[in-house]
Amino acid sequence: MCGIVGYIGKRDSVPIVLDALARLEYRGYDSAGIAVIDAQGNLVGSKSEGRLGRLVERLRDGEPLAGSVGLGHTRWATHGKPSDANAHPLGDCSGRIAVVHNGIIENYATLRAHLLERGHVFTSETDTEVIAHLIESHYNGDLLAAVRATLRELRGAYALGVMSNYDPEHLIFARNGASPLVVGIGEGEMFVASDTPAILKYTKREIILQEGELVVVGRDGWKLSDYDGKELERDVVQIAWDMGAAEKGGFKHFMLKEIFEQPRVIKETLSGRIDDLNQVTLAAELGDVTPERLRAIGKIAITGCGTAYYAGMVGMYLLRSLVHLPVEMEVASEFRYGDPVVDGNALTIAMSQSGETADTIEAVRIAKGAHSTVLGICNALGSHLSRVADATLFTRGGPEIGVAATKTYVSQVTVMTLFALYLAALRQSTPVDRLRAIADGTKLLPAAIDLLLNASDDVRRVAKQIRKAQSVLFLGRYVNFPTALEGALKLKEIAYIHAEGYAAGEMKHGPIALLDPAVPVIGIVTDGRVREKMLSNLMESRAREAPVIIVANYGDEEAAQVADHVFWVPKVDELLSPVVNIIPLQLLAYHIADLEGKDVDQPRNLAKTVTVE
Ligand code: G6P
């Protein structure tokens, strides 16, 4: 949610900052801006409402901007509508301080009122602008001291960057709460960004800022401290991702590329986690969450937001089926205010691709406060979640740039599957042979998905038929109820078509009233305990003349008879089927959005990482 980039070095910062911003646009894209310190030592900049492309055009058509120190921002509006004036960087009255910010300053209204009383003139409606004016009001010859004094007055979760020609040799950044910042270390140059892929092209060595930390970067290094000035050490992390991971690699969109990466991602996610006897080995990764602790738990609570929540929901069914423990699910924004009943006997599992989602982090804080053990399932190394959880299982999906999550969903479900198998073995809650058979079955998933990707054109043909639908109903049951929810979410997110995921048995309690020839019904009818029930529900849909599309196993002619179209999928164990069954639904959403000319990778109003409540 909002992207921040900083550069200080020997090159012109403008192309570098713009390039890095382009890779962060998934975080927000309603306006963008850049400021630099030019050769004369002046602080100059440009900003524009709209996509980053508008800013690039403005820079190309207007006054050229150049300077070896630069600060840029791409915005997802919270306070103040998207406009040139509200775009960051925002400045003070003197025009000598520029601030970019991600997050929310909760006490900005009070701060702004005080500043107005003292004669400060504001040019935007943002909470961010108070930061620049506060720094100005505290400045007394020492920029760093002024920033520190300012930070002490701010409440809220934020990442921010400060540039000023009072001190043209340094940039200052601070982080408080779930707003990530990484510092990339180059040769005589330094990069700062909200996320690693933005600067991967320039360096693979970075440090990750933690909560309550401030970093001053100069051409030759960085100095990390807390807000009070106590110096801190930090290990430099060597990033293993290659640059190609953050490029489209010949695909029209990142989302399509990421859908096609799924076989490889699953292999990566499984790698080294299943031994030759088909036993899942996670003890080393789980560290402090020891087998003894896991044997002692009496219940499990799962939380997360969006797609991560649905991946968690597949986990709920797997854990109930294999571990036979009570499992509760709640979206993190409800968990945090819903008096969750977790205690020292509970395991709370927090799902998050980014590991930075504000509601999820807060849910974890509440669970920890209640003495629950917390397991994070997360994609981003070094993320907030991975630091606050007692243990983290990483999903190894690599950078995901498309706002709509795809490869990270299947990798989250895969990790959940591994964890359920591991826990069931520890607690001896399911016969070992059954567990080994499922573990063995996971190895077939990459090939199964490969087959489905080859059928992408077939999905596009169906997409052409239903692309004008106003409303689509997705039906599933048991482990594939979350598949229906996730399929519907994908369609909403990128094609802007109203879609509902429903537990198929509930259809007759409401949604059936919506059905007519213009409302396609998409049902998941693969083999398993609910196949026949699903068929009946789809017959009911067909009887209301709704076009019926199904996901079914190759050769299931009986299922094919209830459908106008079948997305054929290979047969895998029912507990593994969510990983396979979601693929045609991802492709369907993608193709409809693409056919309709929608912005697939950056759908309107969304952001990839939501670091505000
Ligand atoms: C946003 C994204 C979704 C994502 C959700 C949770 O809404 O647009 O794609 O599923 O946040 O994000 P997380 O990083 O916690 O998985």
Side-chain angles (χ1 to χ4, degrees):
M1 183 137 285
C2 295
I4 290 177
V5 172
Y7 173 83
I8 179 162
K10 41 204 175 193
R11 299 188 255 177
D12 180 12
S13 65
V14 175
I16 295 172
V17 170
L18 292 175
D19 173 66
L21 283 179
R23 294 170 207 283
L24 284 184
E25 240 195 326
Y26 69 85
R27 298 181 67 85
Y29 30 84
D30 58 47
S31 46
I34 182 170
V36 301
I37 296 175
D38 70 13
Q40 288 71 45
N42 297 317
L43 180 64
V44 287
S46 180
K47 12 190 232 175
S48 172
E49 186 199 336
R51 297 289 163 98
L52 183 65
R54 293 260 289 275
L55 175 67
V56 172
E57 277 167 25
R58 190 165 282 189
L59 288 169
R60 194 186 51 216
D61 301 342
E63 284 289 292
L65 214 56
S68 59
V69 191
L71 194 61
H73 188 265
T74 178
R75 180 169 186 245
W76 186 89
T78 59
H79 292 57
K81 64 179 188 296
S83 67
D84 287 4
N86 290 335
H88 303 202
L90 285 148
D92 65 326
C93 297
S94 72
R96 300 195 59 173
I97 297 168
V99 173
V100 292
H101 162 226
N102 163 27
I104 291 179
I105 305 302
E106 284 165 3
N107 57 337
Y108 90 101
T110 321
L111 294 170
R112 185 175 165 121
H114 288 158
L115 287 159
L116 283 169
E117 274 169 25
R118 301 208 308 263
H120 286 260
V121 178
F122 283 76
T123 58
S124 80
E125 304 154 297
T126 64
D127 50 343
T128 307
E129 196 180 349
V130 299
I131 306 171
H133 289 277
L134 278 176
I135 298 172
E136 178 184 28
S137 72
H138 287 297
Y139 183 72
N140 194 7
D142 181 346
L143 183 67
L144 181 56
V147 172
R148 284 216 168 93
T150 299
L151 293 175
R152 281 194 279 274
E153 291 184 72
L154 303 181
R155 274 208 330 266
Y158 55 79
L160 57 87
V162 180
M163 182 172 78
S164 170
N165 62 355
Y166 286 130
D167 182 358
E169 296 300 314
H170 297 104
L171 290 168
I172 303 173
F173 296 85
R175 169 182 182 172
N176 190 44
S179 301
L181 271 182
V182 298
V183 179
I185 302 159
E187 296 293 324
E189 55 185 357
M190 300 287 288
F191 308 81
V192 181
S194 299
D195 201 355
T196 297
I199 52 174
L200 211 49
K201 182 169 166 188
Y202 306 102
T203 178
K204 289 189 175 178
R205 298 177 66 230
E206 67 180 38
I207 62 159
I208 299 165
L209 243 66
Q210 297 180 5
E211 265 188 272
E213 292 184 349
L214 176 150
V215 69
V216 180
V217 295
R219 288 182 173 77
D220 293 319
W222 49 276
K223 220 176 230 171
L224 189 69
S225 62
D226 66 14
Y227 286 6
D228 296 327
K230 185 171 154 251
E231 282 200 25
L232 301 168
E233 304 273 310
R234 182 62 33 84
D235 288 341
V236 174
V237 182
Q238 186 71 36
I239 303 297
W241 295 348
D242 70 59
M243 184 49 209
E247 301 283 355
K248 280 190 200 144
F251 286 90
K252 186 171 177 191
H253 296 102
F254 277 111
M255 182 184 178
L256 190 62
K257 174 189 174 233
E258 288 157 1
I259 289 174
F260 274 75
E261 279 174 2
Q262 292 180 116
R264 187 180 55 69
V265 164
I266 292 181
K267 272 187 211 152
E268 194 60 39
T269 305
L270 294 172
S271 155
R273 286 168 162 170
I274 299 177
D275 70 13
D276 294 344
L277 299 172
N278 283 325
Q279 300 173 121
V280 174
T281 53
L282 294 176
E285 289 177 64
L286 288 170
D288 288 349
V289 180
T290 57
E292 293 67 46
R293 256 171 110 172
L294 288 172
R295 276 193 203 99
I297 57 171
K299 78 173 252 188
I300 297 174
I302 304 177
T303 192
C305 303
T307 291
Y309 176 76
Y310 294 147
M313 201 167 181
V314 177
M316 172 186 78
Y317 287 108
L318 295 172
L319 287 162
R320 279 192 195 149
S321 293
L322 299 173
V323 186
H324 315 310
L325 275 175
V327 186
E328 278 174 14
M329 287 288 320
E330 204 159 27
V331 287
S333 52
E334 289 297 312
F335 185 99
R336 60 187 289 188
Y337 294 113
D339 301 323
V341 183
V342 286
D343 57 21
N345 289 324
L347 171 70
T348 302
I349 305 181
M351 315 284 300
S352 175
Q353 183 283 125
S354 61
E356 306 289 349
T357 302
D359 283 322
T360 308
I361 299 297
E362 183 59 17
V364 166
R365 202 187 59 74
I366 289 167
K368 288 200 82 168
H371 309 292
S372 170
T373 299
V374 174
L375 170 66
I377 294 187
C378 177
N379 194 39
L381 299 176
S383 64
H384 200 150
L385 174 59
S386 68
R387 289 195 311 277
V388 293
D390 295 298
T392 305
L393 293 173
F394 287 99
T395 50
R396 304 178 185 164
E400 187 175 65
I401 310 293
V403 166
T406 51
K407 63 176 178 173
T408 57
Y409 174 77
V410 297
S411 59
Q412 282 166 342
V413 173
T414 305
V415 167
M416 261 298 197
T417 309
L418 291 172
F419 181 67
L421 292 169
Y422 174 76
L423 195 57
L426 266 187
R427 297 175 66 102
Q428 301 178 339
S429 51
T430 296
V432 172
D433 289 352
R434 170 82 181 114
L435 298 178
R436 289 186 186 182
I438 301 171
D440 201 24
T442 61
K443 298 173 195 160
L444 301 175
L445 293 173
I449 296 178
D450 259 330
L451 281 175
L452 300 177
L453 297 175
N454 289 337
S456 177
D457 289 348
D458 179 43
V459 179
R460 195 170 178 92
R461 274 191 290 280
V462 178
K464 282 182 183 154
Q465 287 164 26
I466 64 167
R467 60 193 272 196
K468 297 296 177 198
Q470 300 282 310
S471 193
V472 179
L473 191 59
F474 288 73
L475 299 180
R477 281 176 174 241
Y478 183 46
V479 279
N480 282 301
F481 171 36
T483 310
L485 292 166
E486 173 61 7
L489 181 64
K490 289 286 92 75
L491 195 63
K492 277 183 267 207
E493 282 181 316
I494 60 166
Y496 316 146
I497 293 178
H498 169 251
E500 284 199 51
Y502 236 80
E506 271 291 295
M507 184 188 63
K508 54 189 165 301
H509 300 292
I512 199 164
L514 298 171
L515 298 187
D516 65 27
V519 180
V521 174
I522 301 181
I524 296 134
V525 209
T526 45
D527 268 11
R529 66 167 75 156
V530 292
R531 177 184 160 279
E532 285 177 11
K533 302 290 170 201
M534 278 301 308
L535 283 178
S536 307
N537 298 137
L538 291 166
M539 291 296 279
E540 289 155 13
S541 307
R542 210 182 159 102
R544 273 81 190 173
E545 295 182 44
V548 172
I549 298 160
I550 60 170
V551 178
N553 289 131
Y554 287 120
D556 188 346
E557 291 307 328
E558 187 191 10
Q561 281 175 16
V562 306
D564 297 285
H565 193 90
V566 186
F567 295 137
W568 296 111
V569 298
K571 185 170 169 180
V572 296
D573 191 290
E574 184 176 25
L575 293 184
L576 300 176
S577 65
V579 171
V580 172
N581 293 345
I582 191 62
I583 309 298
L585 306 188
Q586 293 172 338
L587 286 168
L588 183 68
Y590 170 78
H591 286 303
I592 292 177
D594 182 43
L595 286 164
E596 289 294 303
K598 302 290 191 257
D599 192 337
V600 170
D601 286 332
Q602 290 166 0
R604 69 184 180 204
N605 303 338
L606 298 178
K608 185 138 190 86
T609 307
V610 180
T611 50
V612 293
E613 195 179 325

